[in-house]
Structures are given as structure tokens and as C-alpha cells.
């Protein structure tokens, strides 16, 4: 099916994690409002910098307090912690989906606490690829069109991808997706194949940061290790930093930095 005119704002938002603020049936979904990407002297190569970061969900009595993170450009960080320790919550803060309750949070040199929701969405669209735990593929788009979606939502990602369809093919091939899967819908793909599509979608347009939320949880050990290696190889080829969360300590060996979240969280006084 032709891509133009068949993508709702809802689907684009669920699939990519950012709100689409432009786009009508038949038009390319792409918000060209400029966000100014600043460099801050000695921190210009720091992709993520957090300090005393805290978050409290509405109606929850406990506060999630996160260890400080310093992630230089190109480094790969593994975040581990038991269920409920706040791994997904931390990724929602790093991606700008939620604004921190307290503490410092700089991503791509931007103070996320000071940006509006729309500017955080734009920053994420342009500079962060997200792999969701459930992949969030758009069910009525084939694998290739799912992968090129970020290029429709970000002029920067589109420009960096060059020819998005060709780049998507190259990425999916590098991630070992069989050629006959390229034009198939997600529901006809195995979990491992859907996972490769989700990874290619995060990688296209070489965003400086990839955030991955337990994308290997449904895989066996061999496929899990292979997927992590392929993902990190592609990220390294793009020069992208990676933050990968999992409860599985066996994956830690693939990463250059490690962070452990504990299950014990502070109670609010
Ligand atoms: N939308 C929400 N509203 C209210 N509380 C939430 C929400 N999302 C998460 N929480 C709570 O925040 C805490 C951390 O949840 P989170 O999903 O970040 O943990 P996790 O480490 O990713 O867990 P898992 O490994 O099971 O996915 C939990 O106590 C959870 O119940």
C-alpha cells in the first residue's frame, strides 16, 4: 500500500513515542519547527548527563531515585535492575516523554526540564531512536515502511538516511532480516523478526542516541546475544550511543558502561 495518506497521528505517536504535531491525510508527517541544538563547552561530547534525578508517578507514595549517569558520545550503557526498579521510567525520562520531578537531566546538551513537551518531542524525533519492549510496530505498514517512519517525522533523520527505502533495506539486511520479510506486515513476522524491524527503525537516520527497553525479553539465549551484537555493531557504525535496559545480567558483557538500579525506593516524607 502506498504510504502517503494511510498513517494516522495516533499510530505514528504510539510507534515512535513522540507526538506528531503536523500531518494530514496525504501529507508527509514532518514537523520542521527548529530546535536549537546547543553545545556546552567541555560537555559537548556528553550525550546524557543526569544528577540526583527523581520521579514520582501520580498516586504513588514512593519516589524513584536514579543513580547519576554520564554517557559520552559513542558509549554503550547497560542498565540492569529487578522488576519495578524503574528501568522503563528512567528511559521515559531520558527520551523526554516525562519531565523530571527533581534533579538535572541533560540529553544532547539540552536541559530537558526546561524544554516544552513539543520541543522534547522534536528533540526525540531528530536525535533519539527508541526500541520499545513491545516494539510498537504499525500493524498495517510493512517492514520497510515501518523502518522509514522516522524519516517522515524528522527532516534531519530523512536527510541523514539519504534514500530512506534503500537505507532501510541495508539496515534490515545487516540485522539479518530475511529478504522475503521486507514487504510483510508485522503480524506475519516472528518475534525475532519484529524485533529486527524495531531496531532498524530506531537506527535509521543515525540518531546520536538509541534507547532500548528490554527488546530481547522474548528471545532464547542464542538469538538474544546475536541480536545485541548486531544492534551494537550497527550503532557503532553510526557513531550512536546506546542505553539498553534489561533484568538479564548475562547481557552486561556486551556493554562498555554498567548501571544497577535497586528495588528499594525512597518513601516520600
Ligand atoms: N504509568 C504509571 N503510573 C503509575 N505508576 C507507574 C507507571 N509506570 C510505572 N509505574 C510504577 O513505577 C515503578 C517502576 O516501574 P517501571 O515500569 O519503571 O519498572 P521496570 O524496572 O521497568 O519494571 P519491569 O522490569 O517489570 O518492566 C513501579 O512501582 C510501577 O508500578
Amino acid at each position: 500500500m502506498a504510504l502517503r495518506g494511510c498513517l494516522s497521528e495516533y499510530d505514528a505517536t504510539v510507534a515512535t513515542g513522540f507526538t506528531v504535531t503536523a500531518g494530514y491525510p496525504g501529507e508527509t508527517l514532518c514537523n520542521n519547527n527548529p530546535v536549537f541544538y546547543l553545545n556546552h563547552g567541555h560537555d559537548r561530547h556528553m550525550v546524557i548527563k543526569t544528577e540526583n534525578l527523581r520521579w514520582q508517578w501520580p498516586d504513588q507514595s514512593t519516589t524513584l531515585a536514579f543513580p547519576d549517569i554520564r554517557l559520552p558520545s559513542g558509549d554503550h550503557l547497560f542498565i540492569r535492575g529487578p522488576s519495578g526498579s524503574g528501568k522503563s521510567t528512567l528511559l521515559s525520562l531520558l527520551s523526554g516523554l516525562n519531565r523530571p520531578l527533581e534533579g538535572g537531566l541533560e540529553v544532547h546538551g539540552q536541559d530537558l526540564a526546561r524544554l516544552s513537551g513539543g520541543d522534547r518531542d522534536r528533540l526525540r524525533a531528530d536525535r533519539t531512536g527508541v526500541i520499545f519492549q513491545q516494539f510498537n510496530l504499525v500493524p498495517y505498514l510493512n517492514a520497510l515502511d515501518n523502518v522509514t517512519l522516522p524519516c517522515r517525522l524528522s527532516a534531519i533523520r530523512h536527510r541523514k538516511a539519504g534514500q530512506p527505502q534503500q537505507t532501510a533495506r541495508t539496515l534490515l539486511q545487516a540485522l539479518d532480516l530475511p529478504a522475503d520479510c521486507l514487504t510483510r506486515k508485522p503480524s506475519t513476522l516472528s518475534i525475532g523478526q519484529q524485533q529486527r524491524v524495531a531496531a532498524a527503525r530506531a537506527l535509521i537516520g543515525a540518531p546520536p542516541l538509541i534507547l532500548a527497553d528490554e527488546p530481547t525479553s522474548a528471545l532464547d539465549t542464542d538469538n538474544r546475544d546475536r541480536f545485541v551484537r548486531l544492534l551494537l555493531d550497527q550503532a557503532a557504525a553510526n557513531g550512536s550511543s546506546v542505553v539498553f535496559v534489561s533484568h538479564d545480567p548475562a547481557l552486561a558483557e556486551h556493554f562498555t558502561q554498567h548501571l544497577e538500579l535497586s528495588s528499594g525506593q525512597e518513601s516520600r516524607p
Side-chain angles (χ1 to χ4, degrees), residues 119-148:
D119 283 345
R120 295 198 310 275
D121 287 346
R122 179 97 323 262
L123 187 69
R124 181 168 57 254
D126 289 341
R127 314 208 77 188
T128 303
V130 184
I131 308 174
F132 296 91
Q133 195 168 12
Q134 307 299 332
F135 311 138
N136 292 13
L137 299 175
V138 178
Y140 53 80
L141 298 183
N142 68 28
L144 274 175
D145 290 339
N146 264 287
V147 174
T148 57

Side-chain angles (χ1 to χ4, degrees), residues 57-58 60 64 81-90 133 213-214 247:
W57 285 104
Q60 297 279 337
L64 296 163
S83 180
S85 59
K87 301 183 296 298
S88 298
T89 303
L90 178 56
Q133 195 168 12
D213 191 357
E214 303 215 43
H247 61 273

Side-chain angles (χ1 to χ4, degrees), residues 3 13 40 130 140 162 175 180-181 186 200 223 231 234 243 247 259:
L3 196 57
T13 302
H40 294 306
V130 184
Y140 53 80
L175 289 166
D180 71 301
C181 295
N223 277 313
L231 173 67
Q234 284 304 307
V243 176
H247 61 273
L259 188 72

Side-chain angles (χ1 to χ4, degrees), residues 95-265:
S95 67
L97 283 167
N98 289 313
R99 199 199 293 256
L101 177 73
E102 289 174 33
L105 174 55
E106 273 188 27
V107 180
H108 307 301
Q110 301 282 315
D111 179 354
L112 293 197
R114 289 175 177 270
L115 292 185
S116 68
D119 283 345
R120 295 198 310 275
D121 287 346
R122 179 97 323 262
L123 187 69
R124 181 168 57 254
D126 289 341
R127 314 208 77 188
T128 303
V130 184
I131 308 174
F132 296 91
Q133 195 168 12
Q134 307 299 332
F135 311 138
N136 292 13
L137 299 175
V138 178
Y140 53 80
L141 298 183
N142 68 28
L144 274 175
D145 290 339
N146 264 287
V147 174
T148 57
L149 190 53
C151 301
R152 302 181 68 203
L153 301 166
S154 163
I156 291 176
R157 299 273 293 271
H158 190 289
R159 192 175 62 245
K160 286 168 81 178
Q163 300 290 330
Q165 284 273 325
Q166 187 49 47
T167 304
R169 285 177 187 276
T170 306
L171 273 170
L172 288 169
Q173 190 178 19
L175 289 166
D176 270 356
L177 190 79
D180 71 301
C181 295
L182 296 182
T183 53
R184 281 164 47 190
K185 304 272 168 58
S187 61
T188 70
L189 301 176
S190 72
I191 295 294
Q193 290 164 346
Q194 291 180 42
Q195 178 196 52
R196 284 159 171 71
V197 175
R201 187 177 62 188
L203 286 159
I204 198 165
L209 177 62
I210 305 288
L211 302 176
D213 191 357
E214 303 215 43
T216 55
S217 52
L219 295 186
D220 61 49
T221 308
D222 286 349
N223 277 313
R224 186 198 61 191
D225 282 329
R226 179 163 174 70
F227 171 77
V228 172
R229 275 198 299 273
L230 290 171
L231 173 67
L232 294 181
D233 284 351
Q234 284 304 307
N238 285 347
S240 305
S241 305
V242 176
V243 176
F244 189 106
V245 307
S246 176
H247 61 273
D248 185 352
L251 294 175
E253 61 172 320
H254 298 289
F255 293 81
T256 52
Q257 282 201 39
H258 306 93
L259 188 72
E260 177 123 13
L261 302 186
S262 66
S263 54
Q265 302 295 340

Side-chain angles (χ1 to χ4, degrees), residues 6-46:
C6 68
L7 183 69
S8 74
E9 290 189 11
Y10 174 79
D11 287 324
T13 302
V14 168
T16 58
F18 51 81
T19 309
V20 179
T21 53
Y24 300 91
E27 288 195 0
T28 299
L29 295 174
C30 186
N31 180 348
N32 288 315
N33 291 340
V35 170
F36 297 100
Y37 299 122
L38 304 177
N39 286 329
H40 294 306
H42 65 281
D43 280 339
R44 68 185 182 280
H45 296 305
M46 205 62 76

